[in-house]
């Protein structure tokens, strides 16, 4: 497709169809090796008369142009807390993709799909380095939109044979379990967080919790703990002991300022930035090693980076262009 042609629009359904987890994980692996320019994200407050103020987020990233490769991307996110009272979504998101050699607008892509799928794919990429090779029991904590994508992503990197799902709303967990069973997966609802944690080889949390759900004294030797939620300093999915007991890895340095699961242990003095083993880019390019033994407890904390948004959007655009 010509970079000078009419920009294409790719909605949620097409974006999801074009982002198979296996391909997305490999695209992210390459992106974390090659890197790109990722400026600080922009936060702008938007007054809304009679309501809580809204927020406009802009997350840019770009690569230099080399041959047919090279893109500029900006994710725009509108957060309007007052929409809940109106029965409207509180968050809307779009991704704008441009050619980095000409500035030509190539595509507008559904931002929510890009965000949710790249989020779990980044954690699955980390699992490929940090979970035991024989890990086959997955405990999913949460049953929302992001959590529902975890099984598909992790099955792309490990031979997951059993899945248990916990959610604060048991009917949500049951709905996800029903979907998984419909795919022929051995899945069940877990009502006891401690039991599920002690049972699992991999624990993946994707919640909006502000208090720890996973406790360090529940973690068994050899387990991998993945924390997808807790994307503000006030949010928390695991306690201090879970962090202290684990070899900690992150996706980006912003985790030290934005993720409650690390911000709070740093504030209390039980964890220091230099205690972090490595970033995901270092695992991907081979400058750092992941799991060091079958008994080691590993923890991955992701807060999201515009690099992964750009990689996912580029993959969507290229696959869409080939199908036309």
């Amino acid at each position: 497709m010509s970079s000078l042609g009419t920009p294409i629009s790719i909605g949620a359904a097409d974006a999801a169809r074009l982002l198979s987890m296996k391909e997305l994980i490999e695209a992210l692996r390459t992106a974390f090796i090659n890197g790109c320019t990722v400026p600080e994200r922009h936060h702008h407050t938007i007054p809304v008369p009679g309501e809580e103020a809204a927020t406009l987020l802009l997350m840019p990233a770009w690569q230099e142009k080399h041959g047919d490769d090279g893109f500029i991307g900006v994710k725009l996110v509108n957060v309007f807390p007052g929409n809940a009272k109106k029965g409207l979504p509180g968050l809307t998101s779009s991704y704008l993709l441009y050619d980095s050699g000409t500035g030509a607008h190539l595509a507008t892509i559904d931002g929510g799909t890009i965000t949710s799928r790249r989020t779990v794919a980044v954690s699955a990429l980390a699992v490929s380095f940090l979970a035991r090779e024989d890990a086959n029991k997955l405990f999913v904590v949460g049953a929302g939109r992001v959590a529902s994508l975890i099984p598909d992503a992790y099955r792309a990197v490990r031979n997951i044979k059993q899945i248990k799902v916990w959610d604060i709303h048991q009917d949500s967990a049951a709905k996800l379990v029903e979907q998984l069973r419909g795919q022929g997966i051995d899945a069940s609802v877990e009502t006891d967080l401690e039991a599920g944690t002690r049972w699992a080889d991999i624990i993946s949390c994707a919640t909006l919790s502000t208090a720890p759900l996973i406790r360090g004294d529940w973690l068994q030797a050899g387990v991998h703990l993945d924390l997808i939620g807790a994307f503000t300093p006030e949010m928390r999915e695991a306690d201090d002991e879970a962090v202290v007991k684990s070899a900690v890895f992150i996706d980006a340095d912003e985790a030290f300022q934005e993720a409650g699961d690390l911000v709070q242990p740093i504030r209390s003095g039980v964890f220091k930035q230099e205690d972090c083993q490595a970033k995901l880019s270092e695992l991907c390019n081979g400058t750092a090693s992941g799991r060091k033994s079958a008994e080691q407890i590993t923890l991955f904390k992701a807060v999201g980076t515009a690099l992964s948004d750009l990689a996912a959007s580029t993959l969507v655009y290229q696959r869409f262009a080939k199908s036309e």
Side-chain angles (χ1 to χ4, degrees):
M1 182 175 291
S2 170
S3 62
L4 300 177
T6 303
I8 58 177
S9 180
I10 304 175
D14 281 333
R17 175 178 58 83
L18 294 167
L19 282 177
S20 80
M21 285 299 175
K22 202 165 191 67
E23 287 184 315
L24 178 54
I25 291 165
E26 290 313 308
L28 288 166
R29 191 187 304 271
T30 300
F32 275 100
I33 291 172
N34 294 338
C36 70
T37 300
V38 181
E40 187 175 347
R41 67 186 72 180
H42 299 243
H43 294 71
H44 299 283
T45 300
I46 312 295
V48 181
E51 296 181 10
E52 184 179 344
T55 303
L56 169 63
L57 304 176
L58 296 93
M59 299 172 62
W62 61 82
Q63 310 150 321
E64 288 186 22
K65 187 71 175 176
H66 295 290
D68 292 332
D69 291 326
F71 298 89
I72 303 168
V74 183
K75 186 165 73 175
L76 298 95
V77 183
N78 286 316
V79 183
F80 277 68
N83 279 3
K85 299 175 184 176
K86 305 171 187 174
L88 298 172
L91 186 149
T92 56
S93 175
S94 298
Y95 199 90
L96 306 181
L97 189 70
Y98 304 88
D99 185 289
S100 64
T102 65
H105 182 192
L106 303 175
T108 300
I109 307 168
D110 179 76
T113 303
I114 292 295
T115 302
S116 58
R117 295 188 76 81
R118 67 81 161 146
T119 296
V120 295
V122 164
S123 286
L125 176 58
V127 163
S128 73
F129 295 102
L130 300 177
R132 299 192 324 269
E133 291 284 347
D134 64 350
N136 59 45
K137 295 184 292 186
L138 171 63
F139 183 32
V140 179
V141 179
R145 180 174 67 167
V146 172
S148 69
L149 299 173
I150 289 171
D152 185 30
Y154 288 25
R155 291 175 74 220
V157 296
R158 286 293 182 270
N159 182 25
I160 302 298
K161 295 179 179 177
Q162 289 180 279
I163 298 174
K164 292 187 178 183
V165 180
W166 177 95
D167 191 86
I168 194 169
H169 302 293
Q170 195 169 324
D171 56 340
S172 297
K175 184 177 179 181
L176 177 54
V177 163
E178 184 180 355
Q179 292 173 3
L180 295 171
R181 287 177 175 171
Q183 300 169 34
I185 298 170
D186 182 354
S188 59
V189 173
E190 177 58 75
T191 58
D192 186 331
L193 273 171
E194 179 177 355
T197 300
R198 292 183 180 280
W199 166 85
D201 298 322
I202 301 172
I203 304 155
S204 186
C205 304
T207 73
L208 299 176
S209 180
T210 55
L213 298 170
I214 305 300
R215 310 220 168 257
D217 60 1
W218 300 345
L219 296 176
Q220 303 297 293
V223 73
H224 173 64
L225 175 59
D226 175 46
L227 304 176
I228 292 176
F231 49 82
T232 73
E234 295 73 36
M235 300 171 75
R236 203 75 198 266
E237 291 185 312
D239 68 0
D240 282 1
E241 187 175 350
V243 174
V244 172
K245 285 181 69 171
S246 303
V248 176
F249 300 80
I250 60 172
D251 64 336
D253 286 333
E254 287 81 1
F256 297 125
Q257 290 81 45
E258 298 180 12
D261 282 310
L262 297 183
V263 170
Q264 294 182 38
I266 289 172
R267 284 177 183 165
S268 66
V270 300
F271 182 78
K272 302 185 295 293
Q273 265 187 235
E274 50 266 38
D275 293 332
C276 178
Q277 301 293 303
K279 292 187 289 189
L280 185 54
S281 59
E282 295 167 325
L283 295 176
C284 290
N285 66 28
T287 58
S289 58
R291 171 171 289 275
K292 294 180 173 61
S293 72
E295 295 76 31
Q296 187 180 40
I297 297 171
T298 53
L299 185 156
F300 180 69
K301 178 59 208 165
V303 289
T305 167
L307 176 149
S308 53
D309 288 320
L310 181 60
S313 298
T314 300
L315 179 60
V316 167
Y317 171 73
Q318 292 174 331
R319 291 203 65 207
F320 187 93
K322 284 181 182 178
S323 68
E324 288 294 286

